[in-house]
């Protein structure tokens, strides 16, 4: 949804959180506010667009979200001393409740929840220029986005305040149990499934909005995170049987601008360079900037703050380590010295690569496949859920409920992508005769297929909680790191929380 988010949205939200004696006077019909804004269909659509804009903010997909997820996993390492101290703390698992990267993500997701609540509360007030189908779709989008935000929060922080209505007073909210939060998540996703159209029913500027398939895939992810494989099955089956998705032949089509919202994309956060970068730095999703810093932060010719970890690079199958074939996804995922870029017109040399040159750099989401250098303006969408992820989730469900034979068709479908074409499982390195062997193959396949896509951290966390990790992949992991600390600013400003509510160990 490459859409310029209307500036009146910011005026609306400023009005919501401010109060003076004028507000006691009769409503001025020419002044934006809850009483006057949600009158028309275009206004309601602008309001739900503002929820999407929250995802594009600096504290989420513009910058801080990918840092938090990647540095908590074993996919990434520091590119050198230029990695800022708060990010290094996350990488080394020595963070506390004052860490600004953690605080930024907390604030970003609660902003999304708040904006979604405003849409849900006021959609019925829209009486002009709207059809019931449009109203239902917008409600479905808001339910999906609220569920997404709450899943991000509960899966990282555990019990958190549960906002089911917009903030209307300075009174704080206490922490809800994980079970209460998941009940709201699954109820919201069912509403989304019931209301949202299929992906194929969108076109033009509406491409990128939440869909029925996205809601079903997110529900499956949430159930898998809890280890509830039977509950995830019907949602995955619905996505697979919908006929809406298929793997693209070319792996890198999933990470380049010209092939966004393709047949493999279940849902992605939209970005564009079309509107410039006004407010890109420290943006809260209220300006019109729709750019991400991912390319600049990770790029070999840019800041190169984060690079692939040694363990990730070594995870790809090669003839040298006993495989039948080199896995080409290693080539598609990393840049190395001597590789060409900029449409084959340039060669990466040591003088062009920033920092240490003896390690690969990230290739996914890098715009230098078509230009000489990265900058802070990247318009490449984040593919949040891909069909390959859905197939691998289904393989996991089958392995845990029916056995390894039932999982084989799904995991091998991912390996059979036209420009990957890896030998099907079982292989000499990855036998799949038992449930445990298949589980290891799935873990391997998820890592190499979805590397650097903000998936690995949550995979590690759920497998650790389920007791199936073959080894601890995070060298500095401590038991307290199973959840993140509630930010100090939240405890200081939320009247319903005190230091005793902090997660254990922080």
């Amino acid at each position: 949804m490459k859409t310029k988010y209307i500036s009146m949205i910011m005026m609306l939200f400023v009005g919501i959180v401010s109060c003076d004696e004028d507000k006691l006077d009769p409503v001025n019909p020419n002044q934006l506010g809850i009483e006057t804004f949600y009158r028309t269909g275009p206004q309601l659509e602008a309001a739900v667009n503002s929820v999407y804009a929250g995802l594009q903010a600096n504290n989420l997909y513009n910058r801080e979200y990918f840092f938090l997820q990647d540095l908590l996993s074993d996919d990434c390492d520091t590119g050198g001393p230029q990695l800022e101290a708060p990010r290094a703390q996350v990488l080394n698992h020595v963070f506390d409740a004052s860490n600004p990267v953690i605080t930024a993500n907390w604030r970003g997701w609660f902003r999304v929840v708040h904006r979604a609540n405003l849409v849900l509360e006021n959609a019925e007030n829209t009486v002009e220029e709207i059809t019931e189908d449009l109203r239902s779709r917008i409600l479905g989008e808001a339910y999906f986005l609220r569920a997404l935000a709450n899943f991000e929060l509960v899966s990282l922080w555990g019990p958190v305040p549960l906002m089911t209505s917009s903030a209307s007073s300075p009174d704080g909210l206490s922490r809800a149990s994980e079970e209460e939060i998941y009940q709201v998540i699954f109820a919201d996703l069912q509403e989304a499934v019931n209301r949202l159209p299929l992906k194929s029913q969108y076109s033009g500027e509406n491409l990128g909005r939440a869909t029925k398939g996205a809601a079903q895939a997110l529900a499956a992810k949430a159930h898998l995170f809890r280890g509830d494989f039977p509950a995830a099955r019907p949602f995955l089956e619905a996505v697979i049987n919908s006929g809406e998705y298929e793997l693209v032949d070319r792996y890198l089509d999933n990470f380049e601008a010209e092939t966004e919202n393709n047949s493999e994309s279940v849902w992605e956060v939209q970005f564009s360079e079309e509107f410039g970068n006004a407010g890109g730095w420290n943006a809260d999703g209220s300006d019109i900037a729709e750019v991400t810093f991912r390319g600049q932060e990770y790029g070999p010719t840019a800041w190169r703050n984060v690079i692939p970890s040694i363990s990730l690079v070594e995870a790809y199958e090669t003839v040298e380590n006993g495989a039948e074939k080199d896995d080409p996804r290693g080539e598609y995922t990393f840049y190395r010295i001597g590789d060409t870029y900029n449409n084959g017109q340039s060669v990466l040399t040591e003088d062009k690569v920033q920092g240490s040159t003896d390690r690969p750099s990230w290739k996914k989401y890098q715009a230098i496949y078509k230009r000489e250098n990265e900058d802070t303006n990247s318009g490449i969408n984040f593919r949040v859920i891909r069909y390959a992820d859905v197939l691998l989730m289904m393989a996991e469900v089958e392995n845990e409920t029916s056995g390894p034979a039932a999982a084989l068709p799904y995991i091998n479908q991912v390996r059979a992508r036209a420009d990957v074409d890896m030998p099907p499982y079982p292989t000499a390195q990855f036998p799949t005769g038992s449930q445990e062997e298949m589980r290891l193959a799935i873990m391997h396949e998820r890592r190499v297929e979805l590397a650097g896509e903000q998936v690995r951290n949550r995979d590690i966390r759920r497998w650790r909680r389920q007791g199936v990790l073959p080894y601890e992949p995070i060298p500095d992991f401590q038991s307290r790191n199973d959840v993140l600390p509630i930010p100090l600013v939240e405890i200081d400003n939320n009247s319903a929380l005190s230091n005793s509510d902090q997660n254990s160990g922080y």
Side-chain angles (χ1 to χ4, degrees):
M1 182 183 46
K2 303 288 191 183
T3 305
K4 182 175 179 179
Y5 297 112
I6 303 172
S7 59
M8 69 175 67
I9 293 297
M10 185 55 187
M11 298 168 62
L12 169 66
F13 291 116
V14 169
I16 286 168
V17 299
S18 62
C19 181
D20 56 41
E21 291 182 1
D22 292 341
K23 298 296 187 294
L24 302 178
D25 294 336
V27 174
N28 178 354
N30 298 314
Q31 180 177 335
L32 283 172
I34 289 177
E35 301 88 350
T36 57
F37 182 75
Y38 296 95
R39 293 288 180 85
T40 71
Q43 288 175 332
L44 186 63
E45 193 165 34
V48 81
N49 286 351
S50 79
V51 192
Y52 289 101
L55 300 174
Q56 298 169 320
N58 189 264
N59 51 21
L60 291 181
Y61 281 91
N62 166 273
R63 195 179 194 207
E64 302 299 355
Y65 179 78
F66 56 79
F67 268 121
L68 182 66
Q69 293 288 339
D70 289 345
L71 294 174
L72 285 172
S73 78
D74 61 345
D75 270 358
C76 292
D77 200 354
T78 175
Q82 72 272 20
L83 183 66
E84 297 156 307
R87 309 187 198 288
Q89 291 169 5
V90 176
L91 175 65
N92 295 318
H93 284 68
V94 292
F95 49 80
D96 59 23
S98 66
N99 185 277
V101 180
I102 293 173
T103 300
N105 277 264
W106 173 279
R107 284 175 165 168
W109 288 118
F110 272 109
R111 179 183 288 120
V112 170
V113 171
H114 173 68
R115 292 183 180 184
N117 282 336
L118 286 168
V119 174
L120 295 172
E121 291 166 3
N122 292 284
E124 294 305 319
N125 299 331
T126 304
V127 294
E128 302 171 18
E129 301 176 68
I130 192 168
T131 65
E132 288 308 310
D133 284 346
L134 176 59
R135 189 196 315 276
S136 182
R137 191 206 79 193
I138 290 173
L139 284 168
E141 292 176 77
Y143 278 119
F144 170 82
L145 292 166
R146 186 171 75 172
L148 173 70
N150 277 323
F151 177 56
E152 291 285 345
L153 288 163
V154 72
S155 62
L156 288 181
W157 280 273
V160 297
L162 180 60
M163 292 181 62
T164 55
S165 60
S166 59
S168 58
S169 78
D171 296 334
L173 289 172
S174 60
R175 300 174 76 183
S177 70
E178 290 191 35
E179 184 59 36
E180 290 174 306
I181 298 167
Y182 276 109
Q183 286 179 3
V184 172
I185 290 171
F186 292 127
D188 283 357
L189 289 175
Q190 191 57 59
E191 286 283 353
V193 168
N194 293 342
R195 294 172 181 274
L196 290 174
L198 297 170
K199 180 182 176 181
S200 59
Q201 294 176 274
Y202 282 129
S203 61
E205 290 189 348
N206 285 325
L207 285 174
R209 293 189 182 275
T211 65
K212 184 185 297 289
Q216 291 163 333
L218 180 58
K221 276 185 173 289
H223 282 301
L224 251 67
F225 190 79
R226 305 185 81 195
D228 192 345
F229 300 101
R233 177 188 291 277
F235 293 104
L236 295 170
E237 289 176 335
V239 176
I240 292 168
N241 295 333
S242 69
E244 293 282 305
Y245 309 100
E246 63 181 1
L247 300 177
V248 294
D249 289 343
R250 180 176 176 268
Y251 183 74
L252 281 173
D253 280 354
N254 292 304
F255 313 105
E256 295 177 353
E258 293 78 12
T259 46
E260 294 167 342
N261 302 305
N262 60 37
S263 62
E264 188 167 337
S265 171
V266 179
W267 190 66
E268 50 196 77
V269 174
Q270 308 291 303
F271 284 97
S272 173
E273 296 180 51
E274 182 178 349
F275 309 118
N277 65 354
W281 285 99
N282 302 315
D284 61 3
S286 61
D287 294 300
I288 64 170
E290 297 183 6
V291 295
T292 172
F293 295 177
R294 168 63 183 264
Q296 180 74 17
E297 296 284 3
Y298 286 23
T301 64
W303 293 336
R304 201 169 180 251
N305 284 328
V306 173
I307 62 177
S309 67
I310 293 174
S311 68
L312 174 61
V313 175
E314 293 178 346
Y316 289 82
E317 295 160 79
T318 64
V319 173
E320 184 178 358
N321 65 27
E324 182 179 329
K325 173 186 175 183
D326 289 351
D327 190 336
R329 287 172 293 188
E331 175 187 344
Y332 305 148
T333 301
F334 311 129
Y335 274 123
R336 293 176 169 86
I337 299 297
D339 286 350
T340 60
Y341 68 102
N342 193 23
N343 290 315
Q345 299 170 23
S346 304
V347 177
L348 277 179
T349 57
E350 290 195 14
D351 63 303
K352 290 181 179 178
V353 175
Q354 303 299 312
S356 171
T357 59
D358 61 348
R359 298 271 294 279
S361 302
W362 285 104
K363 190 172 188 176
K364 286 183 177 181
Y365 295 119
Q366 296 302 309
I368 57 171
Y369 69 90
K370 61 179 179 179
R371 63 191 187 197
E372 185 69 25
N373 292 299
E374 285 288 353
D375 58 35
T376 54
N377 292 1
S378 175
I380 300 176
N381 292 355
F382 274 82
R383 277 63 160 186
V384 180
I385 307 176
R386 291 198 282 124
Y387 188 54
D389 190 0
V390 170
L391 291 172
L392 293 175
M393 286 193 286
M394 191 62 186
E396 195 167 349
V397 166
E398 290 286 24
N399 185 52
E400 300 297 335
T401 59
S402 303
L408 274 174
Y410 298 103
I411 191 171
N412 281 336
Q413 189 174 336
V414 174
R415 287 171 72 83
R417 185 193 302 272
D419 76 342
V420 173
D421 193 28
M422 285 297 288
Y425 292 114
T427 66
Q429 290 177 300
F430 293 98
T432 58
S434 69
Q435 184 184 65
E436 183 176 358
E437 288 174 339
M438 175 58 81
R439 189 182 293 134
L440 293 176
I442 292 170
M443 289 178 176
H444 165 77
E445 197 65 24
R446 286 187 65 81
R447 189 175 195 194
V448 298
E449 173 69 25
L450 304 170
E453 298 179 45
Q454 297 75 59
V455 172
R456 178 70 173 173
N457 171 47
R458 217 177 323 266
D459 277 351
I460 291 173
R461 289 174 180 272
R462 66 186 178 89
W463 290 329
R464 183 189 290 122
R465 294 180 186 184
Q466 293 159 25
V468 297
L469 275 178
Y471 61 92
E472 176 52 61
I474 308 296
D476 301 310
F477 179 79
Q478 305 172 54
S479 59
R480 70 173 188 167
N481 300 143
D482 183 59
V483 289
L484 300 181
I486 297 176
L488 284 178
V489 293
E490 179 68 19
I491 292 177
D492 289 343
N493 293 297
N494 185 337
S495 60
L497 296 180
S498 67
N499 289 332
S500 64
D501 294 301
Q502 183 59 272
N503 283 325
S504 178
Y506 295 106

